[in-house]
Amino acid sequence: MDIRGTDTPLLDWTGDAIALGLFENETALTGELSQLDEKIGKIITELIEETEFEGKSGSSAVTRIGGNSPIRKLMIIGLGKRDELSLDTVRLGAATVARLGKKEKVKTLAIQFPVVNEDKGATSAAIAEGMILSLHQDNRFKSEPEDKPLKLETVDILGVGEQTEAINRAQTVCSGVILARELVAAPANAVTPVTFAQTAQELAKDYSLDIEILEKEECEERGMGAFLGVAQASDLPPKFIHLTYKPSGTPKRKLAIVGKSLTFDSGGLNIKGAGSGIETMKMDMGGGGATLGAAKAIGQLKPDVEVHFVCAATENMISGRAMHPGDILTASNGKTIEVNNTDAEGRLTLADALVFAEQLEVDAIVDLATLTGACVVALGGDISGLWSTDETLIEEIKTASEAAGEKFWAMPMEEKYFEGLKSPIADMKNTGPRPGGSITAALFLKQFIKETPWAHLDIAGPVWADKEHGVNNCGATGFPVRTLVNWVLNQ
Ligand code: BES
Ligand code: MN
Ligand code: ZN
């Protein structure tokens, strides 16, 4: 699928289908649209009337244009209210167009959408993202793909000029999102700590990133007792992955992105019971998957910011070597942890990963983790929790996420709740009481950061979609690669 911007006037465009974006309660056609309507025998007016189309966000209608029209099909796409227009409106509208185009077996398509904030580049990029991400289908594990190959060959975004750079950029970002989706969707017998590390190695090779993979012995030397405690029951070796993107000149800033990378979470001896969703726990490397996805995009986009990508990859398994509930582990910063629940393993792996990231002397650290079911209870499936003690970092992530169309909600870092993690025998326990479970998890992580501005993203909800929605298809979403990339690029 070739996506390109053009200044070909609407009335001159010819091809299989044309998609027109219309605002809510503004379906009376004017200007070019009314001229096009006249040209094709009032088909647009007819379609609007027939389908009682009001332009509501998410709505759409399609019709064939008969006669000898140079355009075969017409789609109208509701974009919601004009004053609520955003890049995400356009992105979601484009996803609707893409799905209709696929269903209608369209080969050549034109999209005429309003430009957001007079930014033709950003608008074109959002359209490209909406189309690419909604059309992405993972057939890797099917012996026969269910759906027929996509017919869509060319998409012309009308009225934006060429926009080659913006569209290429969007394609690059999407390649990172798709890598994250594929890593998350792959089962735990395909994505293991070993294959996950291989993927990181391939990225390093393809995009000239530096890579360091600490094997178990090196993790031992560094005293990563928390990470290794989680890893000890697995038959597979843990891999502590550190990828670095370095710009050619002097970096403006140095950042670290740290992703929870549990290729499977059985819960350990506090095993996940029936109805716990244990069979979905291949997604527990969602943070690491998005970290590698971001590395893939950033390695190609080449901003003048140094970025470290850190993934402590392992499985949380059971065996005679497994951590016992109640074991005490010592993390690489010397803090001791009483493991009162082996299923709160993500924070143990992150503890050592955060200590490692801070030793890199970066200006800011963001961790992302499918950390708690409690966060899903609090914010549902579409919104990630965001914790930080640094107001600037909160603002940066909010700005990055709004442009990306990925949702975050700032949550309280309520120090008082750390009381729930007090241990009579060690420096802390790894779990507190059920209420506020996502907050105590964030407070636990905070023990492993000294002074670097740091944000924690609990992405347990949005890494996975139960049904097709917006740019996401059912399954892995690639959340929050787009936010991470924007964050780095905005520095
Ligand atoms: N990986 C899970 C969290 C999770 C739950 C991710 C649902 C995605 C969907 C995490 O390791 C975990 O098991 N957390 C426990 C913590 C508890 C033992 C304090 C949880 O949320 O129940
Ligand atoms: Mn767990
Ligand atoms: Zn987990």
Side-chain angles (χ1 to χ4, degrees):
M1 181 173 64
D2 184 16
I3 305 178
R4 55 209 188 183
T6 171
D7 274 330
T8 304
L10 179 65
L11 291 161
D12 295 346
W13 189 85
T14 61
D16 284 347
I18 198 152
L20 306 172
L22 295 174
F23 288 119
E24 190 167 338
N25 300 327
E26 293 188 39
T27 51
L29 303 175
T30 55
E32 256 189 330
L33 288 187
S34 107
Q35 280 173 284
L36 177 69
D37 195 33
E38 291 295 338
K39 194 175 142 191
I40 58 178
K42 293 260 185 199
I43 292 273
I44 311 180
T45 306
E46 208 172 274
L47 182 62
I48 290 172
E49 281 169 9
E50 222 172 69
T51 60
E52 294 175 9
F53 184 83
E54 293 172 328
K56 286 219 163 71
S57 160
S59 65
S60 62
V62 194
T63 186
R64 250 190 82 83
I65 308 171
N68 49 7
S69 161
I71 307 164
R72 270 200 315 122
K73 278 180 183 165
L74 176 84
M75 303 174 187
I76 47 177
I77 311 297
L79 297 177
K81 299 204 173 77
R82 182 187 287 270
D83 57 4
E84 286 168 14
L85 176 70
S86 70
L87 286 177
D88 213 40
T89 317
V90 164
R91 193 180 285 111
L92 299 180
T96 307
V97 174
R99 290 196 178 100
L100 280 176
K102 181 177 176 186
K103 191 163 150 252
E104 300 286 330
K105 317 254 182 288
V106 171
K107 269 194 203 155
T108 55
L109 172 77
I111 298 193
Q112 165 109 334
F113 271 13
V115 171
V116 185
N117 296 331
E118 292 172 43
D119 190 340
K120 292 180 177 178
T123 304
S124 310
I127 291 175
E129 276 176 15
M131 299 201 69
I132 296 168
L133 294 178
S134 60
L135 290 175
H136 168 243
Q137 256 269 320
D138 190 350
N139 290 319
R140 289 171 301 159
F141 302 102
K142 300 251 188 208
S143 58
E144 288 297 340
E146 264 161 32
D147 53 340
K148 300 225 176 69
L150 182 71
K151 293 247 170 65
L152 208 52
E153 285 167 5
T154 61
V155 178
D156 290 323
I157 307 172
L158 304 185
V160 294
E162 263 191 28
Q163 300 304 340
T164 322
E165 207 187 299
I167 294 168
N168 283 345
R169 217 190 73 151
Q171 274 161 334
T172 302
V173 175
C174 290
S175 76
V177 177
I178 288 169
L179 173 64
R181 285 185 181 180
E182 291 189 340
L183 285 166
V184 172
N189 61 347
V191 168
T192 69
V194 176
T195 67
F196 190 75
Q198 281 165 354
T199 302
Q201 244 144 0
E202 281 159 27
L203 288 177
K205 192 162 144 273
D206 293 349
Y207 307 110
S208 316
L209 308 173
D210 293 342
I211 187 159
E212 166 185 38
I213 295 181
L214 306 181
E215 302 296 335
K216 185 178 147 208
E217 296 67 31
E218 293 159 287
C219 295
E220 277 166 0
E221 281 160 24
R222 286 172 173 265
M224 295 182 172
F227 171 49
L228 292 173
V230 175
Q232 73 194 34
S234 173
D235 285 338
L236 303 170
K239 300 279 177 184
F240 190 100
I241 302 158
H242 173 209
L243 269 174
T244 311
Y245 163 76
K246 284 197 173 122
S248 49
T250 319
K252 265 199 276 184
R253 298 245 288 160
K254 292 185 184 181
L255 306 173
I257 297 174
V258 179
K260 171 175 170 181
S261 305
L262 266 290
T263 60
F264 187 70
D265 178 13
S266 72
L269 285 175
N270 291 102
I271 193 163
K272 289 183 183 291
S276 63
I278 189 171
E279 71 286 358
T280 67
M281 281 302 141
K282 64 176 184 182
M283 67 147 118
D284 214 17
M285 34 57 68
T291 300
L292 295 191
K296 178 167 182 167
I298 288 162
Q300 296 172 79
L301 295 169
K302 305 197 183 303
D304 42 7
V305 179
E306 182 172 304
V307 192
H308 297 266
F309 304 92
V310 180
C311 298
T314 186
E315 307 177 297
N316 186 22
M317 298 297 281
I318 48 172
S319 79
R321 277 179 285 125
M323 288 190 285
H324 317 87
D327 278 2
I328 296 175
L329 306 175
T330 306
S332 44
N333 65 348
K335 293 208 178 170
T336 59
I337 306 155
E338 181 188 4
V339 182
N340 63 336
N341 191 323
T342 61
D343 198 9
E345 83 300 334
R347 59 195 79 181
L348 296 172
T349 64
L350 287 168
D352 285 324
L354 290 173
V355 170
F356 180 93
E358 191 159 33
Q359 284 166 355
L360 299 169
E361 299 185 333
V362 290
D363 300 307
I365 302 172
V366 170
D367 82 68
L368 48 150
T370 49
L371 204 61
T372 66
C375 195
V376 189
V377 173
L379 299 175
D382 292 348
I383 306 171
S384 165
L386 156 62
W387 283 261
S388 182
T389 45
D390 189 282
E391 288 302 324
T392 315
L393 195 48
I394 293 182
E395 283 315 309
E396 285 176 11
I397 289 171
K398 282 190 176 166
T399 306
S401 77
E402 272 160 30
E406 293 177 321
K407 291 181 179 146
F408 290 83
W409 192 258
M411 299 282 279
M413 192 76 94
E414 186 64 36
E415 286 294 341
K416 193 170 179 294
Y417 291 179
F418 190 74
E419 275 168 27
L421 291 175
K422 291 245 164 86
S423 161
I425 183 159
D427 294 345
M428 68 195 96
K429 298 188 289 189
N430 71 329
T431 67
R434 258 167 69 86
S438 65
I439 300 174
T440 44
L443 288 169
F444 178 92
L445 296 180
K446 190 164 172 276
Q447 304 308 305
F448 300 90
I449 293 283
K450 279 193 274 189
E451 57 200 3
T452 309
W454 156 75
H456 159 59
L457 314 177
D458 193 333
I459 59 170
V463 289
W464 195 264
D466 292 327
K467 52 181 197 302
E468 179 185 295
H469 178 62
V471 301
N472 294 325
N473 291 313
C474 192
T477 60
F479 187 99
V481 170
R482 289 179 288 138
T483 298
L484 293 174
V485 172
N486 285 348
W487 176 59
V488 170
L489 261 48
N490 288 347
Q491 294 292 315

